[in-house]
């Protein structure tokens, strides 16, 4: 399965190097051009510095954290369900979280300020948790190919329900709330400010750490539940930990940036082809790869059509949608052969 | 004899009353679609013919009280028919076209009103509505008044502010570029500068800084949607613009200014006055 000849650690280093490069480019490109030399102490003028510090840096950090979270969440869910198509967006976790946040805004009176932000985190977490529990209950009843299809269909149904719920909320929402809601239509990092980024810097690493600690368990689980049990794995506790960490991370990501699709599908897949299926390597590599993808995509979103801005969720879906389709077709072909 | 006369008068009165009711019932058969068209109907003093409006018809109060048939760009034939409408006064901006065709097929008279965004179009709108409502005299009166205001608008001194029209929020603020009604109204108010894109686009924090607006134009509804003035200045990037540093913003009546209805010339004059005062105070 593993592609290149290089040692796996080298591959992670390559990814890290690419991420550093993307961050450098992202930090220096934008509507207001800033020289990359700024990173080596060549400070720009006051306005340039302010733009960099107040706008660009929090946005880059948020991109790194959310990208890492979505990709690692996807990798972990794929491992847990032993289903290569499990993804927080496809299975409806992101939309569930989005619906919960939207419900909070419309029914809870749309709190503003830092307290409102944490309330939204909580709502997103609960929404994602409910959906993952539901999806898991559905997924465990089936085995093999049947499970793959059922899970995807369940995700589809949940996405439809969440979409309808969102439409219903939009219907009863006031004009003011409606404008707040429109954020959840297409994910964007555009309103990254320090308070939100700092909150993300506390919550998301927690979720990421939680996932990283599940790597060994996920590897054992791939051998089948019986073998894993014989090897001393508490599958029940592993499931709970993965679902909690993914729900926390995805819920917070959605509350902060809306729904940014397909990162959780795309990144682990590409990396699995490149460096093999072992989670001890795949999880950290997915974090780096997800961060890389979202930072690059968001830099494009900021600069492609400037001064106008493209929602970054649109870009990732443009990339991920066709990849997903290709993946489905390829699976079908290998099944027939 | 007198009793007979009395009875005659009573009968006449009754008939008269019935006739009036009948007349009113027969006359109120029109649904108006488009806020600008509705305002013109009200200006002409013919709201009594209306049985409905669409969601964009919110001014004046007598229009807003009417039942709505939905949103201008998502018209449904059934909701128009359910009000017993036999005539539709509809802005050319209305969608979808198929609904209008369905209504025509159901025997509703569909009167299309110009949807242009300049004074000539406004005059055409008034003429078309006045003709449809048989109120030509009132129409000419309104046009004369609008003409007088138009002359004043066309005599306005040019302004030099970099004024940024912010429509709404959700992620990044939605900002007006060129080729839309905000562009048209701002040009008439004497404003030359605009962001260099067409339509309304979301603009991120850095781009806001680069645009460096000196004053923000926003509607009271838009401001409320943001969460008030404080929230406006908390938007990413805006604090680093000249407008944000000096907290300069002007509230504009979006419906009046952008609708290109009877209140638009006045709204343009008011915007010019507010901007001129703002420029003088800088």
């Amino acid at each position: 399965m593993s592609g290149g000849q290089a040692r796996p650690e080298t591959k992670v280093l390559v990814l890290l190097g690419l991420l550093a490069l993307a961050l450098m480019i992202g930090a220096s490109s934008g509507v207001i051009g800033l020289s990359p030399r700024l990173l080596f102490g060549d400070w720009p003028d006051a306005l340039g510095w302010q733009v960099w510090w107040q706008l660009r840096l929090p946005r880059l950090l948020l991109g790194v954290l959310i990208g890492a979270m979505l990709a690692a969440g996807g990798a972990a869910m794929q491992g847990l369900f032993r289903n290569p198509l499990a993804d927080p967006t496809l299975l409806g976790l992101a939309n569930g979280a989005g619906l919960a946040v939207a419900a909070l805004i419309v029914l809870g009176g749309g709190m503003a300020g830092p307290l409102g932000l944490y309330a939204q985190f909580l709502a997103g977490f609960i929404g994602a948790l409910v959906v993952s529990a539901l999806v898991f209950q559905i997924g465990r009843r089936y085995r093999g190919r049947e499970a793959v299809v059922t899970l995807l269909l369940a995700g589809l149904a949940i996405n439809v329900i969440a979409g309808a719920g969102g439409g219903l909320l939009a219907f009863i929402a006031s004009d003011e709330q409606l404008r707040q809601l429109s954020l959840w239509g297409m994910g964007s990092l555009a309103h990254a400010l320090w308070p939100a980024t700092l909150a993300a810097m506390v919550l998301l690493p927690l979720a990421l750490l939680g996932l990283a600690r599940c790597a060994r368990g996920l590897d054992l689980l791939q051998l089948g539940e019986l073998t894993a049990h014989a090897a001393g794995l508490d599958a029940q506790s592993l499931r709970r930990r993965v679902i909690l960490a993914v729900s926390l991370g995805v819920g917070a990501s959605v509350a902060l940036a809306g729904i940014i699709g397909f990162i959780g599908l795309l990144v682990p897949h590409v990396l699995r082809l490149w460096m093999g299926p072992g989670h001890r390597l795949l999880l950290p590599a997915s974090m780096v790869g997800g961060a890389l993808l979202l930072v690059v995509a968001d830099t494009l979103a900021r600069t492609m059509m400037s001064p106008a801005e493209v929602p970054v969720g649109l870009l990732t879906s443009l990339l991920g949608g066709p990849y997903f389709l290709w993946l489905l077709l390829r699976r079908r072909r290998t099944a027939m052969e | 004899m007198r009793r007979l006369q009395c009875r005659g008068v009573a009968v006449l009165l009754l008939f008269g009353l019935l006739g009036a009711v009948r007349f009113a019932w027969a006359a109120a058969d029109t649904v108006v679609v488009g806020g600008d068209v509705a305002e013109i109907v009200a200006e002409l003093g013919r709201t009594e013919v209306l049985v409905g409006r669409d969601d964009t018809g919110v001014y004046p109060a007598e229009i807003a009280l009417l039942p709505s048939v939905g949103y201008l760009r998502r018209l449904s034939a059934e909701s128009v028919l359910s009000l017993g409408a036999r005539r539709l006064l509809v802005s050319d901006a209305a969608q979808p076209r198929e609904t209008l065709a369905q209504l025509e097929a159901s025997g509703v008279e569909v009167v299309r009103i110009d949807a242009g965004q300049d004074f000539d179009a406004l005059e055409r709108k008034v003429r078309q509505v006045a003709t449809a409502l048989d109120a030509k005299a009132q129409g000419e009166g309104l046009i004369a008044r609008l003409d007088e205001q138009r002359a004043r608008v066309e005599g306005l001194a040019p302004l030099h502010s970099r004024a940024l029209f912010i429509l709404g929020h959700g992620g990044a603020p939605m900002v007006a570029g060129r080729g839309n009604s905000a562009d048209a109204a701002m040009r008439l108010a004497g404003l030359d500068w605009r962001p260099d894109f067409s339509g309304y686009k979301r603009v991120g924090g850095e781009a806001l800084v680069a645009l460096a607006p000196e004053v923000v134009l926003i509607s009271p509804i838009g401001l409320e949607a943001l969460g008030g003035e404080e929230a406006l200045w908390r938007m990413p990037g805006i604090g680093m613009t000249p407008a944000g540093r000096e907290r300069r913003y002007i509230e504009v009546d979006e419906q009046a200014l952008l609708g290109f209805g009877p209140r638009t010339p006045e709204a343009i004059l008011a915007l010019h006055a507010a901007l001129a005062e703002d420029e003088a105070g800088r």
Side-chain angles (χ1 to χ4, degrees):
Chain A
M1 194 69 183
S2 147
Q5 307 300 316
R7 287 172 52 212
E9 291 80 6
T10 326
K11 293 177 179 173
V12 177
L13 280 179
V14 167
L15 274 179
L16 275 172
L18 283 175
L19 177 61
L21 187 69
L23 282 172
M24 213 119 86
I25 294 172
S28 56
S29 62
V31 182
I32 292 178
L34 291 172
S35 157
R37 277 180 306 175
L38 144 149
L39 295 176
F40 307 105
D42 185 9
W43 304 128
D45 59 344
L47 182 71
W49 168 246
Q50 254 191 324
V51 165
W52 193 80
W53 173 249
Q54 296 283 354
L55 299 174
R56 216 168 280 176
L57 190 60
R59 198 164 167 166
L60 282 172
L61 284 174
L62 200 63
V64 167
L65 288 168
I66 290 181
M69 184 61 234
L70 292 176
M77 288 191 74
Q78 285 149 28
L80 183 67
F81 288 111
R82 282 187 282 159
N83 179 338
L85 297 179
D87 162 76
T89 357
L90 281 179
L91 294 192
L93 266 72
N95 277 307
L99 180 63
V101 177
L104 177 75
I105 289 174
V106 175
L107 306 175
M111 285 167 282
L115 214 72
L117 186 64
Y118 285 100
Q120 290 186 1
F121 282 152
L122 192 65
F125 172 54
I126 292 171
L129 197 61
V130 167
V131 172
S132 21
L134 193 67
V135 164
F136 187 77
Q137 285 308 317
I138 296 169
R140 69 184 310 179
R141 291 165 189 236
Y142 301 90
R143 287 279 169 269
R145 278 191 68 76
E146 205 183 356
V148 176
V149 177
T150 312
L151 214 56
L152 278 181
L153 290 179
L156 181 73
I158 288 167
N159 280 332
V160 169
I161 294 168
L168 202 64
L169 284 172
F171 192 73
I172 58 171
S174 70
D175 195 39
E176 166 188 352
Q177 293 164 336
L178 207 57
R179 293 187 198 212
Q180 265 184 292
L181 279 185
S182 65
L183 168 66
W184 278 271
M186 266 295 164
S188 164
L189 299 175
H191 64 176
L193 286 175
W194 275 116
T197 304
L198 285 176
M201 283 167 76
V202 175
L203 279 178
L204 292 182
L206 220 70
L208 288 174
L209 199 70
L211 283 184
R213 288 172 50 122
C214 295
R216 203 185 87 89
L218 285 170
D219 276 340
L220 281 175
L221 195 64
Q222 306 314 304
L223 306 172
E225 252 174 80
L226 283 179
T227 325
H229 185 71
L233 175 77
D234 182 354
Q236 201 73 34
S237 130
L238 175 74
R239 255 172 232 138
R240 226 171 308 160
R241 277 181 295 149
V242 169
I243 285 183
L244 268 177
V246 171
S247 302
L248 175 68
V250 170
S253 302
V254 169
L256 282 165
I259 293 159
I260 301 174
F262 289 107
I263 290 184
L265 184 77
L266 199 65
V267 173
H269 257 272
V270 172
L271 292 179
R272 213 175 275 125
L273 289 178
W274 192 39
M275 48 179 59
H279 286 87
R280 255 176 290 187
L281 205 59
L282 183 66
L283 276 176
S286 290
M287 293 177 196
V288 182
L292 172 66
L293 178 62
L294 191 54
V295 165
V296 170
D298 189 52
T299 303
L300 280 174
R302 284 189 291 130
T303 53
M304 229 164 58
M305 307 252 197
S306 75
E309 178 149 334
V310 188
V312 71
L314 192 69
L315 291 184
T316 58
S317 294
L318 269 179
L319 196 66
Y323 184 80
F324 176 48
L325 209 57
W326 176 77
L327 218 59
L328 280 179
L329 292 175
R330 204 185 55 133
R331 285 175 57 80
R332 173 124 200 93
R333 218 174 30 239
T334 43
M336 284 193 304
E337 270 157 15
Chain B
M1 194 62 182
R2 192 175 291 161
R3 265 179 64 176
L4 218 86
Q5 258 182 350
C6 271
R7 196 177 286 172
V9 169
V11 166
L12 268 178
L13 264 176
L14 195 64
F15 265 84
L17 211 65
L18 272 177
V21 168
R22 230 185 88 85
F23 177 74
W25 183 78
D29 64 350
T30 303
V31 167
V32 62
V33 173
D36 49 346
V37 184
E39 281 185 34
I40 293 173
V41 174
E43 249 343 288
L44 298 178
R46 297 302 306 275
T47 39
E48 79 273 4
V49 304
L50 298 180
V51 290
R53 56 164 183 123
D54 79 302
D55 284 346
T56 62
V58 291
Y59 183 91
E62 51 200 298
I63 298 279
L65 286 175
L66 292 167
S68 169
V69 298
Y71 178 58
L72 174 77
R73 295 185 197 283
R74 269 199 309 267
L75 283 184
S76 104
E78 278 198 34
S79 52
V80 174
L81 291 173
S82 72
L83 294 176
R86 304 212 299 207
R87 184 168 55 175
L88 192 67
L89 281 183
V90 55
S91 163
D92 243 350
Q95 299 278 355
R97 301 270 149 197
E98 292 74 18
T99 299
L100 300 183
Q102 283 168 0
L103 284 168
E104 268 176 333
S106 327
V108 175
E109 183 193 348
V110 174
V111 184
R112 291 179 175 79
I113 308 293
D114 207 298
Q117 289 161 354
D118 55 51
F119 283 135
D120 289 336
L122 176 54
E123 209 171 300
R124 280 199 299 277
K125 289 180 201 180
V126 174
R127 281 230 163 78
Q128 289 162 348
V129 175
T131 309
L133 296 182
D134 228 352
K136 283 201 174 149
Q138 291 98 312
E140 289 311 312
L142 177 56
I143 286 173
R145 207 186 80 210
L146 292 174
D147 268 345
E148 183 264 327
Q149 287 172 336
R150 173 182 187 164
R152 276 164 59 205
V153 167
E154 280 166 353
L156 287 176
L159 296 163
H160 310 289
S161 293
R162 294 167 72 88
L164 193 71
F165 198 111
I166 295 185
L167 197 67
H169 188 55
M174 192 77 103
V175 161
R178 294 191 181 275
N180 51 51
S181 51
D183 175 40
M186 286 165 81
R187 190 174 54 243
L188 286 166
L191 287 166
D192 188 40
W193 178 82
R194 223 86 73 228
D196 200 15
F197 52 75
S198 69
Y200 299 90
K201 296 257 153 64
R202 295 200 182 281
V203 167
E206 285 184 32
L208 271 183
V209 178
L211 289 173
E214 292 163 327
V215 56
V216 168
L217 308 182
I218 190 166
S219 71
I221 299 170
L223 197 62
E224 199 194 312
L226 283 176
E229 193 195 334
E230 282 311 307
L232 170 65
W233 304 128
R234 266 204 312 270
M235 261 174 6
I238 198 131
M240 290 168 228
T241 64
R245 273 197 296 272
E246 297 174 27
R247 305 201 152 205
R248 290 179 180 278
Y249 79 101
I250 293 173
E251 278 193 15
V252 294
D253 185 341
E254 213 170 272
Q255 174 92 21
L257 185 70
L258 307 186
F260 279 85
R263 288 185 299 157
T264 299
E266 249 173 86
I268 291 174
L269 290 170
L271 173 61
H272 180 91
L275 281 163
E277 191 188 335
D278 177 74
E279 281 189 9
R282 220 173 293 154

